[in-house]
Amino acid sequence: MSALTNTALLARLVLRRDRIRLAIWVLGTPLLGYALAASVTGIYPDQAARQGYATTSASSLVARAFNGPIAGTELGAVVVAETYVTLALIVALLSTFAVTRHTRQNEETGRAELLGASVVGRYAPLTAALLVIVAANVLAAGLLALALIGAGLPLAGSLAAAAAIGGVGVAFTAIAAVTAQLSVTSRGANALAAATVGLSFVLRAAGDVLGEQSADGTRVQSAWPSWISPLGWGNQVRAFEGERWWVLALPVALLLAGVALAYALAERRDLGAGLIAPRRGPASGTPRLLSPAGLAWRMQRGTLLGWAVGVAVLGFSMGIAGDEFNAMIDQNPAAAEAINAMGGGANLLDAYLAAMLGLFALTIGAYVVQALLRVRGDETDGVLEAALATAVSRTRWLGTQVLAAALGAVALLLLAGVTTGLGYGLVTDDPLGEAVELGGAALLRLPALLVVAGVVTTLFGLLPRWSVVLSWTALLIFLLLGQLGAVLKLPQAALNVSPYTHVPSVPAVDPAALPLVVLTAVAAALLALGVAGFRRRDVPS
């Protein structure tokens, strides 16, 4: 029997299991790309606006670190500078999580052992997962290219930009294939892959910050750290500015090397084992683990710490960038109009700060979804059934998980506001005052996050099998409507679907109590509905 026997059959199984996830991924990526490209096109409609943006971005170390290097003053180059990092991070994480789901998670749950009892080659499960996920990246890149062309961008640059995004997904598919061989758990494999994504981001940012600005001030040539980062390779394609097609060979080479290494590592371990031995725990656990609250904190503290570090760094950077914002606005009235649409208010600098806090609230919404969807993972893994066999009621267990996610959201919101205020305060010589003001303004976004928590809880209680897909889909819809809806001038009825739309854009406008009270009431109703549904359904479901 060949080591690849029945790979095609297992690939069909992967497609069957992930047909909804893959459809959202393949269709959602180009739709998001089109929305972002359309919004950027509206903000920078003429050459003068793009010239000002390129000059400001090339001279700003913060813009280089978070957006990447600007490749010129063409509209497509500006679109890439504004959208590449967002799309690249999304496809990188989607690719790594998908590989882990169909490799390490299958071993962890015993599904791989059942498949191995039939006529299946040793490498067939891994190969089937890689084939499907690489194909998903290629298809999503093709549709993204069509979306960029539809947004009015040139053909060659659109193909190069989409291929660069697809290349990131392919590269991290290979990396996840290796991390799936190392850890004994799917969470550990995902953590290793996510850490690799983070390291890749840091290397790319360092290379772009250390890069050289061109003589005309509108371009940046990245330094060597960007060339050892899979995220940096996409920038080096230089879409819309003298495309370098040969760079696309780098993710393909990494894929081949990663697959070969994954096969070699698979030969050296037993099914269900990992090459990194699990850390031996203490002989006796802390008494706090006897309560649902203590267990929830133990399970979420690592994730919360990782989010806190990222939020703090990004918040401080965005605060310092407030000084550069004035220079950008002076050269681009269209950008001022867009910031005003997102942040509201007459004072553009306050509108910028409000828009940044809104972005943080949207991002922290992803933490809320991730933290609450852990309950679905506990249910499918059998942990929930064992916990409910003790003297713990369903209401108490689920309520504790919701409370832990809500407290984590409070901590992250406060951290985002305080660090943004500290960064901006260093520019205005009032770090303490700005930190207090923006910390309070950030906490006003909490009711919107509670609505997100309510949506996830309702889906878990009523539609558990669809809760993962529908929760992330709901957050994506809130993102598009709450952040890009105003820029794209969508109807108010559509904007009202997102809870973020109803949060007062403090500090750009005065706080209003009524919207916050209504959002809190909606969140409470959704949470009650979710708990009621959970109490009445089977576990596991």
Side-chain angles (χ1 to χ4, degrees):
M1 182 177 66
S2 168
L4 299 177
T5 298
N6 276 332
T7 296
L9 189 61
L10 291 181
R12 289 177 57 191
L13 177 61
V14 173
L15 288 170
R16 177 67 179 81
R17 289 184 62 199
D18 276 7
R19 60 192 185 282
I20 304 299
R21 287 183 174 88
L22 290 174
I24 294 175
W25 173 2
V26 170
L27 297 177
T29 301
L31 287 176
L32 179 59
Y34 180 84
L36 293 172
S39 66
V40 172
T41 302
I43 296 173
Y44 306 100
D46 52 43
Q47 183 63 28
R50 295 193 291 271
Q51 178 79 25
Y53 171 85
T55 303
T56 303
S57 297
S59 60
S60 169
L61 297 183
V62 175
R64 288 197 215 174
F66 289 99
N67 288 349
I70 183 73
T73 59
E74 295 298 322
L75 177 60
V78 175
V79 169
V80 170
E82 284 289 289
T83 63
Y84 168 75
V85 170
T86 299
L87 293 175
L89 287 174
I90 289 174
V91 300
L93 293 174
L94 286 174
S95 298
T96 56
F97 293 160
V99 171
T100 301
R101 170 175 164 79
H102 293 289
T103 53
R104 174 52 60 182
Q105 188 185 82
N106 280 353
E107 295 187 35
E108 189 178 11
T109 59
R111 189 180 292 114
E113 192 170 6
L114 290 175
L115 292 173
S118 61
V119 185
V120 173
R122 181 173 181 82
Y123 300 148
L126 174 60
T127 306
L130 295 178
L131 287 174
V132 172
I133 295 162
V134 169
N137 276 295
V138 172
L139 182 56
L143 294 177
L144 177 60
L146 294 177
L148 295 178
I149 295 169
L153 300 180
L155 173 62
S158 298
L159 292 174
I165 298 294
V168 171
V170 169
F172 282 98
T173 297
I175 291 172
V178 175
T179 61
Q181 313 305 316
L182 300 178
S183 176
V184 73
T185 65
S186 57
R187 289 177 181 173
N190 278 330
L192 288 173
T196 306
V197 174
L199 177 60
S200 181
F201 181 89
V202 170
L203 288 172
R204 182 212 56 78
D208 295 337
V209 167
L210 297 174
E212 296 182 1
Q213 190 174 353
S214 64
D216 63 359
T218 61
R219 294 168 178 79
V220 174
Q221 185 67 39
S222 301
W224 64 267
S226 291
W227 287 97
I228 58 176
S229 164
L231 281 175
W233 295 341
N235 288 128
Q236 305 315 313
V237 174
R238 314 293 281 188
F240 301 102
E241 192 68 25
E243 291 81 9
R244 296 191 289 200
W245 299 98
W246 63 268
V247 178
L248 297 173
L250 295 178
V252 176
L254 180 59
L255 175 65
L256 297 176
V259 171
L261 179 58
Y263 284 166
L265 295 177
E267 286 284 357
R268 296 175 177 270
R269 66 178 183 87
D270 294 330
L271 185 67
L275 293 176
I276 297 177
R279 186 178 61 181
R280 182 174 297 178
S284 60
T286 173
R288 291 194 300 271
L289 294 178
L290 295 175
S291 68
L295 179 61
W297 165 247
R298 175 65 180 83
M299 298 301 292
Q300 294 190 20
R301 65 184 183 182
T303 302
L304 182 60
L305 177 61
W307 274 88
V309 172
V311 166
V313 172
L314 187 59
F316 189 75
S317 302
M318 292 299 101
I320 292 178
D323 189 45
E324 300 172 352
F325 172 76
N326 285 324
M328 182 186 76
I329 290 303
D330 289 340
Q331 303 178 47
N332 192 348
E337 182 181 352
I339 290 293
N340 187 52
M342 290 189 292
N347 187 307
L348 285 176
L349 191 53
D350 284 344
Y352 164 78
L353 295 173
M356 293 304 102
L357 293 180
L359 282 173
F360 275 118
L362 283 166
T363 305
I364 295 169
Y367 164 78
V368 173
V369 173
Q370 180 185 17
L372 284 178
L373 286 181
R374 185 184 292 272
V375 299
R376 178 58 182 167
D378 288 344
E379 181 176 10
T380 57
D381 293 344
V383 174
L384 173 57
E385 198 170 6
L388 295 180
T390 64
V392 176
S393 68
R394 295 191 181 197
T395 301
R396 181 187 177 193
W397 183 82
L398 183 55
T400 300
Q401 303 296 323
V402 173
L403 179 61
L407 291 177
V410 170
L412 293 177
L413 280 174
L414 185 60
L415 184 62
V418 169
T419 53
T420 302
L422 287 175
Y424 181 62
L426 291 178
V427 177
T428 60
D429 296 325
D430 185 20
L432 181 59
E434 295 292 347
V436 171
E437 180 181 357
L438 293 183
L443 287 178
L444 292 178
R445 273 75 180 174
L446 179 61
L449 292 175
L450 293 179
V451 172
V452 174
V455 171
V456 178
T457 305
T458 298
L459 291 172
F460 172 72
L462 301 179
L463 300 170
R465 295 189 179 185
W466 294 89
S467 58
V468 175
V469 172
L470 293 180
S471 296
W472 288 113
T473 301
L475 183 65
L476 178 60
I477 292 173
F478 294 161
L479 167 66
L480 293 175
L481 295 178
Q483 200 58 39
L484 297 177
V487 176
L488 298 176
K489 299 180 180 179
L490 296 178
Q492 188 61 40
L495 300 181
N496 288 338
V497 172
S498 171
Y500 296 99
T501 302
H502 306 282
V503 176
S505 297
V506 181
V509 300
D510 293 331
L514 181 59
L516 302 180
V517 171
V518 172
L519 286 175
T520 303
V522 171
L526 290 172
L527 290 170
L529 181 61
V531 171
F534 176 59
R535 290 180 60 188
R536 287 169 171 78
R537 69 172 177 84
D538 292 336
V539 174
S541 175

